Short mmCIF file of all heavy atoms in Angstrom, two decimals:
data_model
loop_
_atom_site.label_atom_id
_atom_site.label_comp_id
_atom_site.label_asym_id
_atom_site.label_seq_id
_atom_site.Cartn_x
_atom_site.Cartn_y
_atom_site.Cartn_z
N MET K 998 -22.39 98.17 131.93
CA MET K 998 -21.10 98.44 132.47
C MET K 998 -20.17 98.95 131.41
O MET K 998 -19.38 99.87 131.67
CB MET K 998 -20.54 97.14 133.07
CG MET K 998 -21.28 96.59 134.31
SD MET K 998 -21.01 97.61 135.72
CE MET K 998 -19.38 97.17 136.14
N ILE K 999 -20.24 98.33 130.23
CA ILE K 999 -19.32 98.77 129.16
C ILE K 999 -19.67 100.18 128.71
O ILE K 999 -18.80 100.97 128.48
CB ILE K 999 -19.43 97.78 127.99
CG1 ILE K 999 -18.86 96.43 128.43
CG2 ILE K 999 -18.61 98.28 126.79
CD1 ILE K 999 -19.11 95.33 127.45
N GLY K 1000 -20.95 100.49 128.62
CA GLY K 1000 -21.37 101.82 128.22
C GLY K 1000 -20.98 102.88 129.25
O GLY K 1000 -20.52 103.96 128.89
N PHE K 1001 -21.10 102.54 130.52
CA PHE K 1001 -20.71 103.44 131.57
C PHE K 1001 -19.19 103.70 131.53
O PHE K 1001 -18.74 104.82 131.64
CB PHE K 1001 -21.14 102.89 132.91
CG PHE K 1001 -20.80 103.79 134.11
CD1 PHE K 1001 -21.53 104.95 134.28
CD2 PHE K 1001 -19.81 103.47 134.96
CE1 PHE K 1001 -21.26 105.80 135.35
CE2 PHE K 1001 -19.52 104.31 136.02
CZ PHE K 1001 -20.23 105.46 136.21
N ALA K 1002 -18.43 102.62 131.41
CA ALA K 1002 -16.97 102.75 131.39
C ALA K 1002 -16.48 103.51 130.16
O ALA K 1002 -15.55 104.31 130.27
CB ALA K 1002 -16.31 101.37 131.47
N SER K 1003 -17.12 103.30 129.02
CA SER K 1003 -16.71 104.01 127.83
C SER K 1003 -17.10 105.49 127.90
O SER K 1003 -16.42 106.33 127.34
CB SER K 1003 -17.24 103.37 126.57
OG SER K 1003 -18.66 103.43 126.56
N ALA K 1004 -18.18 105.81 128.58
CA ALA K 1004 -18.57 107.20 128.73
C ALA K 1004 -17.61 107.94 129.66
O ALA K 1004 -17.27 109.11 129.39
CB ALA K 1004 -19.97 107.27 129.29
N ILE K 1005 -17.18 107.27 130.68
CA ILE K 1005 -16.19 107.92 131.59
C ILE K 1005 -14.83 108.12 130.91
O ILE K 1005 -14.26 109.18 131.01
CB ILE K 1005 -16.03 107.10 132.89
CG1 ILE K 1005 -17.30 107.15 133.71
CG2 ILE K 1005 -14.86 107.54 133.70
CD1 ILE K 1005 -17.30 106.27 134.91
N SER K 1006 -14.35 107.08 130.21
CA SER K 1006 -13.05 107.21 129.56
C SER K 1006 -13.06 107.99 128.28
O SER K 1006 -12.03 108.49 127.83
CB SER K 1006 -12.48 105.79 129.33
OG SER K 1006 -13.25 105.14 128.35
N GLY K 1007 -14.21 108.06 127.63
CA GLY K 1007 -14.34 108.77 126.38
C GLY K 1007 -13.82 107.99 125.18
O GLY K 1007 -13.67 108.50 124.09
N VAL K 1008 -13.61 106.69 125.36
CA VAL K 1008 -13.07 105.82 124.32
C VAL K 1008 -14.13 104.80 123.99
O VAL K 1008 -14.72 104.20 124.89
CB VAL K 1008 -11.76 105.13 124.76
CG1 VAL K 1008 -11.27 104.22 123.67
CG2 VAL K 1008 -10.74 106.16 125.15
N ARG K 1009 -14.38 104.56 122.68
CA ARG K 1009 -15.37 103.55 122.31
C ARG K 1009 -14.76 102.16 122.56
O ARG K 1009 -13.58 101.93 122.37
CB ARG K 1009 -15.67 103.68 120.81
CG ARG K 1009 -16.46 104.94 120.51
CD ARG K 1009 -16.83 105.05 119.09
NE ARG K 1009 -17.61 103.87 118.69
CZ ARG K 1009 -17.76 103.47 117.43
NH1 ARG K 1009 -17.20 104.11 116.47
NH2 ARG K 1009 -18.46 102.37 117.14
N PRO K 1010 -15.60 101.19 122.97
CA PRO K 1010 -15.11 99.82 123.20
C PRO K 1010 -14.66 99.19 121.87
O PRO K 1010 -15.25 99.40 120.82
CB PRO K 1010 -16.27 99.10 123.82
CG PRO K 1010 -17.45 99.95 123.54
CD PRO K 1010 -17.02 101.31 123.31
N GLY K 1011 -13.66 98.36 121.98
CA GLY K 1011 -13.12 97.70 120.80
C GLY K 1011 -13.79 96.40 120.46
O GLY K 1011 -14.73 95.98 121.09
N VAL K 1012 -13.24 95.73 119.46
CA VAL K 1012 -13.78 94.48 118.96
C VAL K 1012 -13.77 93.40 120.06
O VAL K 1012 -14.72 92.62 120.14
CB VAL K 1012 -13.04 94.02 117.67
CG1 VAL K 1012 -13.46 92.67 117.24
CG2 VAL K 1012 -13.23 95.04 116.58
N PRO K 1013 -12.72 93.27 120.86
CA PRO K 1013 -12.74 92.22 121.88
C PRO K 1013 -13.90 92.34 122.86
O PRO K 1013 -14.43 91.32 123.34
CB PRO K 1013 -11.42 92.37 122.60
CG PRO K 1013 -10.50 93.04 121.62
CD PRO K 1013 -11.42 93.93 120.82
N ILE K 1014 -14.30 93.55 123.18
CA ILE K 1014 -15.44 93.76 124.08
C ILE K 1014 -16.73 93.20 123.46
O ILE K 1014 -17.54 92.53 124.12
CB ILE K 1014 -15.59 95.24 124.46
CG1 ILE K 1014 -14.30 95.75 125.16
CG2 ILE K 1014 -16.80 95.46 125.29
CD1 ILE K 1014 -14.06 95.08 126.51
N TYR K 1015 -16.92 93.57 122.19
CA TYR K 1015 -18.13 93.08 121.51
C TYR K 1015 -18.12 91.57 121.32
O TYR K 1015 -19.14 90.87 121.49
CB TYR K 1015 -18.30 93.77 120.15
CG TYR K 1015 -18.61 95.23 120.27
CD1 TYR K 1015 -17.80 96.22 119.67
CD2 TYR K 1015 -19.75 95.64 120.95
CE1 TYR K 1015 -18.12 97.55 119.81
CE2 TYR K 1015 -20.11 96.98 121.07
CZ TYR K 1015 -19.25 97.94 120.49
OH TYR K 1015 -19.55 99.27 120.62
N ALA K 1016 -16.93 91.02 121.07
CA ALA K 1016 -16.81 89.57 120.93
C ALA K 1016 -17.13 88.89 122.25
O ALA K 1016 -17.81 87.86 122.27
CB ALA K 1016 -15.41 89.18 120.44
N MET K 1017 -16.68 89.44 123.38
CA MET K 1017 -16.96 88.88 124.67
C MET K 1017 -18.44 88.92 124.99
O MET K 1017 -19.01 88.00 125.53
CB MET K 1017 -16.15 89.60 125.73
CG MET K 1017 -16.16 88.91 127.02
SD MET K 1017 -15.39 87.30 126.83
CE MET K 1017 -14.97 86.97 128.50
N MET K 1018 -19.10 90.05 124.63
CA MET K 1018 -20.56 90.11 124.85
C MET K 1018 -21.29 89.08 124.05
O MET K 1018 -22.22 88.41 124.55
CB MET K 1018 -21.06 91.52 124.46
CG MET K 1018 -20.64 92.57 125.41
SD MET K 1018 -21.32 94.25 125.17
CE MET K 1018 -21.90 94.29 123.52
N ILE K 1019 -20.91 88.84 122.81
CA ILE K 1019 -21.55 87.83 121.99
C ILE K 1019 -21.33 86.46 122.55
O ILE K 1019 -22.26 85.63 122.59
CB ILE K 1019 -21.05 87.95 120.53
CG1 ILE K 1019 -21.57 89.22 119.87
CG2 ILE K 1019 -21.47 86.71 119.67
CD1 ILE K 1019 -20.97 89.53 118.55
N LEU K 1020 -20.11 86.13 123.01
CA LEU K 1020 -19.83 84.87 123.62
C LEU K 1020 -20.65 84.61 124.88
O LEU K 1020 -21.14 83.50 125.08
CB LEU K 1020 -18.34 84.71 123.92
CG LEU K 1020 -17.45 84.54 122.72
CD1 LEU K 1020 -16.00 84.58 123.16
CD2 LEU K 1020 -17.76 83.26 122.00
N ILE K 1021 -20.82 85.64 125.68
CA ILE K 1021 -21.65 85.49 126.90
C ILE K 1021 -23.12 85.24 126.55
O ILE K 1021 -23.75 84.36 127.17
CB ILE K 1021 -21.52 86.72 127.79
CG1 ILE K 1021 -20.13 86.78 128.39
CG2 ILE K 1021 -22.52 86.75 128.89
CD1 ILE K 1021 -19.76 88.06 129.15
N VAL K 1022 -23.61 85.93 125.54
CA VAL K 1022 -25.02 85.71 125.09
C VAL K 1022 -25.18 84.27 124.56
O VAL K 1022 -26.18 83.59 124.90
CB VAL K 1022 -25.42 86.74 124.02
CG1 VAL K 1022 -26.72 86.35 123.35
CG2 VAL K 1022 -25.53 88.11 124.67
N ILE K 1023 -24.24 83.78 123.78
CA ILE K 1023 -24.27 82.43 123.25
C ILE K 1023 -24.22 81.40 124.41
O ILE K 1023 -24.99 80.42 124.43
CB ILE K 1023 -23.17 82.17 122.24
CG1 ILE K 1023 -23.45 83.00 120.99
CG2 ILE K 1023 -23.00 80.70 121.93
CD1 ILE K 1023 -22.28 82.99 119.97
N LEU K 1024 -23.39 81.63 125.41
CA LEU K 1024 -23.30 80.76 126.51
C LEU K 1024 -24.60 80.68 127.32
O LEU K 1024 -25.04 79.56 127.66
CB LEU K 1024 -22.14 81.18 127.46
CG LEU K 1024 -21.97 80.37 128.75
CD1 LEU K 1024 -21.48 79.02 128.36
CD2 LEU K 1024 -21.01 81.08 129.64
N VAL K 1025 -25.20 81.77 127.56
CA VAL K 1025 -26.46 81.80 128.30
C VAL K 1025 -27.55 81.10 127.47
O VAL K 1025 -28.37 80.31 128.02
CB VAL K 1025 -26.90 83.27 128.62
CG1 VAL K 1025 -28.30 83.34 129.16
CG2 VAL K 1025 -25.93 83.84 129.64
N PHE K 1026 -27.60 81.31 126.16
CA PHE K 1026 -28.57 80.63 125.30
C PHE K 1026 -28.35 79.11 125.37
O PHE K 1026 -29.32 78.36 125.46
CB PHE K 1026 -28.42 81.12 123.85
CG PHE K 1026 -29.31 80.41 122.91
CD1 PHE K 1026 -30.66 80.68 122.89
CD2 PHE K 1026 -28.84 79.46 122.07
CE1 PHE K 1026 -31.52 80.03 122.03
CE2 PHE K 1026 -29.63 78.81 121.19
CZ PHE K 1026 -31.00 79.05 121.17
N LEU K 1027 -27.07 78.64 125.31
CA LEU K 1027 -26.85 77.21 125.37
C LEU K 1027 -27.29 76.63 126.71
O LEU K 1027 -27.85 75.51 126.73
CB LEU K 1027 -25.35 76.94 125.12
CG LEU K 1027 -24.89 77.03 123.68
CD1 LEU K 1027 -23.37 76.88 123.60
CD2 LEU K 1027 -25.56 75.97 122.84
N ILE K 1028 -27.01 77.31 127.78
CA ILE K 1028 -27.43 76.82 129.10
C ILE K 1028 -28.93 76.71 129.19
O ILE K 1028 -29.45 75.70 129.66
CB ILE K 1028 -26.85 77.73 130.22
CG1 ILE K 1028 -25.37 77.62 130.29
CG2 ILE K 1028 -27.52 77.41 131.55
CD1 ILE K 1028 -24.68 78.58 131.20
N ILE K 1029 -29.63 77.73 128.72
CA ILE K 1029 -31.11 77.69 128.73
C ILE K 1029 -31.60 76.58 127.82
O ILE K 1029 -32.55 75.83 128.14
CB ILE K 1029 -31.68 79.06 128.35
CG1 ILE K 1029 -31.37 80.06 129.45
CG2 ILE K 1029 -33.15 78.96 128.09
CD1 ILE K 1029 -31.74 81.49 129.06
N ASP K 1030 -31.00 76.40 126.65
CA ASP K 1030 -31.44 75.40 125.71
C ASP K 1030 -31.17 74.00 126.21
O ASP K 1030 -32.02 73.10 126.08
CB ASP K 1030 -30.76 75.58 124.35
CG ASP K 1030 -31.40 74.83 123.24
OD1 ASP K 1030 -32.65 74.76 123.22
OD2 ASP K 1030 -30.68 74.32 122.36
N LEU K 1031 -30.07 73.77 126.88
CA LEU K 1031 -29.75 72.43 127.42
C LEU K 1031 -30.62 72.14 128.66
O LEU K 1031 -30.83 70.98 129.00
CB LEU K 1031 -28.27 72.33 127.77
CG LEU K 1031 -27.38 72.21 126.59
CD1 LEU K 1031 -25.92 72.32 127.07
CD2 LEU K 1031 -27.57 70.95 125.83
N ASP K 1032 -31.11 73.17 129.33
CA ASP K 1032 -31.97 72.94 130.50
C ASP K 1032 -33.33 72.40 130.11
O ASP K 1032 -34.03 71.80 130.94
CB ASP K 1032 -32.13 74.27 131.24
CG ASP K 1032 -32.80 74.11 132.58
OD1 ASP K 1032 -32.45 73.18 133.29
OD2 ASP K 1032 -33.69 74.92 132.88
N ARG K 1033 -33.73 72.60 128.86
CA ARG K 1033 -35.03 72.13 128.38
C ARG K 1033 -34.80 71.07 127.31
O ARG K 1033 -34.73 71.41 126.14
CB ARG K 1033 -35.85 73.32 127.85
CG ARG K 1033 -36.22 74.28 128.93
CD ARG K 1033 -36.92 75.47 128.37
NE ARG K 1033 -37.33 76.36 129.41
CZ ARG K 1033 -36.61 77.39 129.86
NH1 ARG K 1033 -35.45 77.66 129.32
NH2 ARG K 1033 -37.07 78.15 130.81
N PRO K 1034 -34.65 69.82 127.67
CA PRO K 1034 -34.27 68.79 126.67
C PRO K 1034 -35.34 68.47 125.64
O PRO K 1034 -35.03 67.94 124.58
CB PRO K 1034 -33.95 67.59 127.54
CG PRO K 1034 -34.71 67.75 128.81
CD PRO K 1034 -34.79 69.24 129.01
N ARG K 1035 -36.62 68.74 125.91
CA ARG K 1035 -37.67 68.37 124.94
C ARG K 1035 -37.96 69.52 123.96
O ARG K 1035 -38.65 69.33 122.97
CB ARG K 1035 -38.93 68.02 125.68
CG ARG K 1035 -38.76 66.74 126.45
CD ARG K 1035 -40.06 66.33 127.09
NE ARG K 1035 -39.84 65.27 128.03
CZ ARG K 1035 -40.12 64.00 127.73
NH1 ARG K 1035 -40.60 63.69 126.57
NH2 ARG K 1035 -39.93 63.08 128.64
N ARG K 1036 -37.49 70.73 124.24
CA ARG K 1036 -37.71 71.89 123.36
C ARG K 1036 -36.36 72.50 123.08
O ARG K 1036 -35.39 72.32 123.77
CB ARG K 1036 -38.56 72.96 124.02
CG ARG K 1036 -39.78 72.46 124.61
CD ARG K 1036 -40.56 73.65 125.17
NE ARG K 1036 -39.97 74.11 126.43
CZ ARG K 1036 -40.51 75.01 127.21
NH1 ARG K 1036 -41.67 75.50 126.91
NH2 ARG K 1036 -39.95 75.35 128.33
N GLY K 1037 -36.30 73.33 122.06
CA GLY K 1037 -35.09 74.07 121.73
C GLY K 1037 -34.34 73.53 120.55
O GLY K 1037 -34.82 72.62 119.83
N LEU K 1038 -33.20 74.09 120.30
CA LEU K 1038 -32.44 73.67 119.12
C LEU K 1038 -31.67 72.37 119.35
O LEU K 1038 -31.45 71.56 118.44
CB LEU K 1038 -31.43 74.80 118.74
CG LEU K 1038 -32.07 76.09 118.33
CD1 LEU K 1038 -30.99 77.12 118.09
CD2 LEU K 1038 -32.89 75.91 117.08
N ILE K 1039 -31.20 72.15 120.60
CA ILE K 1039 -30.46 70.96 120.90
C ILE K 1039 -31.41 69.96 121.53
O ILE K 1039 -31.97 70.21 122.64
CB ILE K 1039 -29.27 71.27 121.89
CG1 ILE K 1039 -28.37 72.34 121.29
CG2 ILE K 1039 -28.50 70.02 122.22
CD1 ILE K 1039 -27.34 72.85 122.21
N GLU K 1040 -31.60 68.84 120.88
CA GLU K 1040 -32.51 67.84 121.42
C GLU K 1040 -31.68 66.59 121.79
O GLU K 1040 -30.89 66.08 120.97
CB GLU K 1040 -33.57 67.46 120.39
CG GLU K 1040 -34.52 68.58 120.09
CD GLU K 1040 -35.58 68.16 119.12
OE1 GLU K 1040 -35.70 66.96 118.78
OE2 GLU K 1040 -36.35 69.06 118.68
N VAL K 1041 -31.82 66.11 123.01
CA VAL K 1041 -31.07 65.00 123.51
C VAL K 1041 -31.94 63.76 123.40
O VAL K 1041 -33.12 63.75 123.82
CB VAL K 1041 -30.65 65.21 124.98
CG1 VAL K 1041 -29.88 64.04 125.55
CG2 VAL K 1041 -29.85 66.52 125.09
N ASP K 1042 -31.39 62.68 122.83
CA ASP K 1042 -32.11 61.42 122.69
C ASP K 1042 -32.31 60.78 124.04
O ASP K 1042 -31.35 60.59 124.80
CB ASP K 1042 -31.34 60.50 121.78
CG ASP K 1042 -32.12 59.23 121.42
OD1 ASP K 1042 -33.38 59.28 121.49
OD2 ASP K 1042 -31.46 58.23 121.12
N GLN K 1043 -33.53 60.43 124.43
CA GLN K 1043 -33.87 59.89 125.73
C GLN K 1043 -34.06 58.39 125.71
O GLN K 1043 -34.42 57.84 126.76
CB GLN K 1043 -35.13 60.58 126.23
CG GLN K 1043 -35.03 62.07 126.36
CD GLN K 1043 -34.14 62.50 127.50
OE1 GLN K 1043 -34.11 61.88 128.54
NE2 GLN K 1043 -33.37 63.54 127.28
N THR K 1044 -33.81 57.69 124.64
CA THR K 1044 -34.11 56.25 124.56
C THR K 1044 -33.25 55.45 125.51
O THR K 1044 -33.76 54.50 126.19
CB THR K 1044 -33.95 55.73 123.15
OG1 THR K 1044 -32.65 56.01 122.68
CG2 THR K 1044 -35.01 56.36 122.24
N LYS K 1045 -31.98 55.77 125.67
CA LYS K 1045 -31.12 55.01 126.58
C LYS K 1045 -31.52 55.17 128.02
O LYS K 1045 -31.48 54.26 128.82
CB LYS K 1045 -29.65 55.40 126.37
CG LYS K 1045 -29.11 54.97 125.07
CD LYS K 1045 -27.64 55.22 124.96
CE LYS K 1045 -27.14 54.72 123.62
NZ LYS K 1045 -25.69 54.78 123.53
N LEU K 1046 -31.94 56.40 128.38
CA LEU K 1046 -32.40 56.65 129.72
C LEU K 1046 -33.68 55.88 130.01
O LEU K 1046 -33.87 55.29 131.07
CB LEU K 1046 -32.63 58.12 129.95
CG LEU K 1046 -33.12 58.54 131.35
CD1 LEU K 1046 -32.08 58.20 132.36
CD2 LEU K 1046 -33.38 60.00 131.34
N ILE K 1047 -34.61 55.84 129.04
CA ILE K 1047 -35.85 55.10 129.20
C ILE K 1047 -35.60 53.61 129.35
O ILE K 1047 -36.24 52.96 130.21
CB ILE K 1047 -36.79 55.40 127.99
CG1 ILE K 1047 -37.24 56.88 128.06
CG2 ILE K 1047 -38.00 54.49 128.02
CD1 ILE K 1047 -37.96 57.36 126.81
N THR K 1048 -34.73 53.08 128.53
CA THR K 1048 -34.43 51.63 128.66
C THR K 1048 -33.77 51.29 129.99
O THR K 1048 -34.01 50.23 130.58
CB THR K 1048 -33.53 51.13 127.49
OG1 THR K 1048 -32.34 51.91 127.44
CG2 THR K 1048 -34.28 51.23 126.20
N THR K 1049 -32.93 52.17 130.53
CA THR K 1049 -32.31 51.96 131.80
C THR K 1049 -33.33 51.96 132.93
O THR K 1049 -33.31 51.13 133.81
CB THR K 1049 -31.22 53.03 132.05
OG1 THR K 1049 -30.28 53.06 131.01
CG2 THR K 1049 -30.52 52.81 133.39
N VAL K 1050 -34.27 52.92 132.85
CA VAL K 1050 -35.31 52.98 133.87
C VAL K 1050 -36.20 51.70 133.79
O VAL K 1050 -36.56 51.17 134.83
CB VAL K 1050 -36.18 54.26 133.70
CG1 VAL K 1050 -37.41 54.23 134.57
CG2 VAL K 1050 -35.31 55.46 134.04
N GLU K 1051 -36.53 51.26 132.61
CA GLU K 1051 -37.35 50.04 132.47
C GLU K 1051 -36.57 48.83 132.98
O GLU K 1051 -37.19 47.94 133.59
CB GLU K 1051 -37.75 49.86 131.00
CG GLU K 1051 -38.77 50.86 130.53
CD GLU K 1051 -39.06 50.73 129.07
OE1 GLU K 1051 -38.41 49.89 128.38
OE2 GLU K 1051 -39.91 51.49 128.55
N ALA K 1052 -35.28 48.77 132.78
CA ALA K 1052 -34.50 47.63 133.28
C ALA K 1052 -34.38 47.66 134.81
O ALA K 1052 -34.35 46.61 135.46
CB ALA K 1052 -33.08 47.70 132.66
N MET K 1053 -34.40 48.82 135.40
CA MET K 1053 -34.37 48.92 136.86
C MET K 1053 -35.68 48.52 137.50
O MET K 1053 -35.70 48.09 138.66
CB MET K 1053 -34.01 50.36 137.26
CG MET K 1053 -32.60 50.73 136.93
SD MET K 1053 -32.24 52.45 137.21
CE MET K 1053 -32.31 52.59 138.96
N LYS K 1054 -36.81 48.65 136.77
CA LYS K 1054 -38.12 48.31 137.31
C LYS K 1054 -38.30 46.79 137.38
O LYS K 1054 -39.15 46.33 138.12
CB LYS K 1054 -39.22 48.93 136.45
CG LYS K 1054 -39.35 50.42 136.65
CD LYS K 1054 -40.47 50.97 135.76
CE LYS K 1054 -40.56 52.47 135.92
NZ LYS K 1054 -41.64 53.03 135.10
N MET K 1055 -37.61 46.06 136.58
CA MET K 1055 -37.77 44.58 136.56
C MET K 1055 -37.26 43.91 137.77
O MET K 1055 -36.61 44.08 138.57
CB MET K 1055 -37.11 43.98 135.34
CG MET K 1055 -37.80 44.34 134.06
SD MET K 1055 -36.94 43.55 132.71
CE MET K 1055 -38.04 43.91 131.42
#
């Protein structure tokens, strides 16, 4: 979209456009990383969830 719009207008996109693209990529990466709790850069500790499930079984 940005390439098409800049071709029509004849003006190169500025720094805010590139910053917004980088922020969107980071956001998508974080969503994908948080969706997989056992793999990835962000690892969530599961011990409290395991103890709660064990307490509910009793």
Side-chain angles (χ1 to χ4, degrees):
M998 293 289 287
I999 295 169
F1001 182 73
S1003 65
I1005 289 175
S1006 66
V1008 179
R1009 292 183 56 200
V1012 174
I1014 299 295
Y1015 291 121
M1017 192 62 159
M1018 287 185 343
I1019 290 170
L1020 288 174
I1021 291 172
V1022 168
I1023 290 172
L1024 177 68
V1025 170
F1026 176 75
L1027 283 174
I1028 290 171
I1029 291 172
D1030 195 38
L1031 287 172
D1032 188 45
R1033 295 176 176 93
R1035 295 183 189 259
R1036 311 183 285 191
L1038 297 176
I1039 302 171
E1040 294 183 8
V1041 180
D1042 187 25
Q1043 299 290 322
T1044 56
K1045 290 187 179 187
L1046 180 64
I1047 292 170
T1048 56
T1049 304
V1050 169
E1051 289 175 357
M1053 291 172 68
K1054 289 181 181 179
M1055 291 181 171

